[in-house]
Amino acid sequence: YIMERPDSALAVLDTMDRALLVTDRLKAHHALLHAMALDKNYIDVTDDSIASVAVEYYSKKGPEKYNVRSLYYQGVVYYNQKKYDKAIINFTRAERLAQNVDTLYWAMLKGIQANVYTNTYNDREALKYLNEAYEIYSTISLDYYKNVTELKLAKSYFNLNEKSRADSILQNLVDNPDIDENIKMAALSDIAFINVVKSE
């Protein structure tokens, strides 16, 4: 429900009677779903009180899959706060666990770690994580996420002054007949920008 209709899911979670959450397990599960729904609605949360409830429970009681996800969403809060040192600790802890229990979040963790390195001007490290994320998305056939990662790869190559490589990735996206229209438009915009820079 969160993946398909995140706005409706968030409304349900926000209006749920909290008195029904009578156990720590229910409180943790509600907190995790709430954190997921906020993120899926592109709401940049800067208060970790929701995610912390999930982290506190799942880090002790499991299951490991939910621990990975709660660490991820708490890390996202630190990322939104621009506390990149705290964010990367969460993401690294979660990544170590995710490899064996949650392939999707393993890829997502690689991607957001790349974002941290991009924001701290370490494009070489960002490129490493983006390539790893791309490989994981390729193995689980999530083309949309794979294509978004390709956009980020092109940006990293551009930042590293490898403009031809960036242009090649973007051109492949544009030439893909099955590409999401928004991704195609972003790729065309980036190609135009690269061409402007090349002509200067």
Side-chain angles (χ1 to χ4, degrees), residues 76-136:
V76 168
V77 172
Y78 298 144
Y79 177 84
N80 292 337
Q81 293 173 343
K82 296 184 169 50
K83 295 179 178 176
Y84 298 129
D85 52 342
K86 292 181 78 170
I88 209 72
I89 289 169
N90 265 58
F91 297 146
T92 303
R93 283 176 59 201
E95 185 199 343
R96 288 190 192 120
L97 300 171
Q99 182 174 358
N100 298 318
V101 297
D102 199 330
T103 307
L104 172 59
Y105 274 78
W106 186 33
M108 289 168 60
L109 283 155
K110 297 281 188 184
I112 200 163
Q113 286 178 90
N115 290 353
V116 171
Y117 288 117
T118 297
N119 290 348
T120 54
Y121 308 102
N122 189 343
D123 288 295
R124 188 59 64 188
E125 198 67 13
L127 189 62
K128 171 185 164 238
Y129 279 95
L130 284 170
N131 275 309
E132 290 172 0
Y134 176 83
E135 290 303 321
I136 299 167

Side-chain angles (χ1 to χ4, degrees), residues 145-162:
Y145 291 103
K146 183 178 77 170
N147 295 151
V148 168
T149 303
E150 286 178 286
L151 283 174
K152 293 180 180 180
L153 276 166
K155 181 181 178 183
S156 281
Y157 280 119
F158 177 83
N159 289 344
L160 290 164
N161 212 29
E162 296 185 41

Side-chain angles (χ1 to χ4, degrees), residues 14-182:
D14 278 338
T15 57
M16 184 178 288
D17 182 359
R18 305 299 168 89
L20 297 171
L21 307 174
V22 294
T23 66
D24 289 343
R25 180 176 169 275
L26 285 174
K27 289 173 186 171
H29 198 58
H30 180 273
L32 177 57
L33 292 174
H34 199 177
M36 290 172 67
L38 288 164
D39 187 66
K40 193 68 178 170
N41 280 282
Y42 303 103
I43 297 170
D44 290 340
V45 178
T46 55
D47 176 359
D48 76 340
S49 59
I50 293 172
S52 291
V53 172
V55 170
E56 176 69 21
Y57 181 85
Y58 291 121
S59 63
K60 294 173 183 173
K61 305 275 188 176
E64 211 161 72
K65 182 174 183 175
Y66 289 170
N67 189 25
V68 166
R69 295 182 180 196
S70 59
L71 285 166
Y72 174 88
Y73 291 110
Q74 187 181 53
V76 168
V77 172
Y78 298 144
Y79 177 84
N80 292 337
Q81 293 173 343
K82 296 184 169 50
K83 295 179 178 176
Y84 298 129
D85 52 342
K86 292 181 78 170
I88 209 72
I89 289 169
N90 265 58
F91 297 146
T92 303
R93 283 176 59 201
E95 185 199 343
R96 288 190 192 120
L97 300 171
Q99 182 174 358
N100 298 318
V101 297
D102 199 330
T103 307
L104 172 59
Y105 274 78
W106 186 33
M108 289 168 60
L109 283 155
K110 297 281 188 184
I112 200 163
Q113 286 178 90
N115 290 353
V116 171
Y117 288 117
T118 297
N119 290 348
T120 54
Y121 308 102
N122 189 343
D123 288 295
R124 188 59 64 188
E125 198 67 13
L127 189 62
K128 171 185 164 238
Y129 279 95
L130 284 170
N131 275 309
E132 290 172 0
Y134 176 83
E135 290 303 321
I136 299 167
Y137 284 131
S138 298
T139 62
I140 55 179
S141 302
L142 285 174
D143 289 341
Y144 178 82
Y145 291 103
K146 183 178 77 170
N147 295 151
V148 168
T149 303
E150 286 178 286
L151 283 174
K152 293 180 180 180
L153 276 166
K155 181 181 178 183
S156 281
Y157 280 119
F158 177 83
N159 289 344
L160 290 164
N161 212 29
E162 296 185 41
K163 296 181 183 65
S164 295
R165 195 156 185 185
D167 190 61
S168 174
I169 291 170
L170 294 168
Q171 198 60 58
N172 286 337
L173 285 170
V174 170
D175 293 341
N176 181 348
D178 301 319
I179 202 80
D180 178 88
E181 213 40 52
N182 290 324

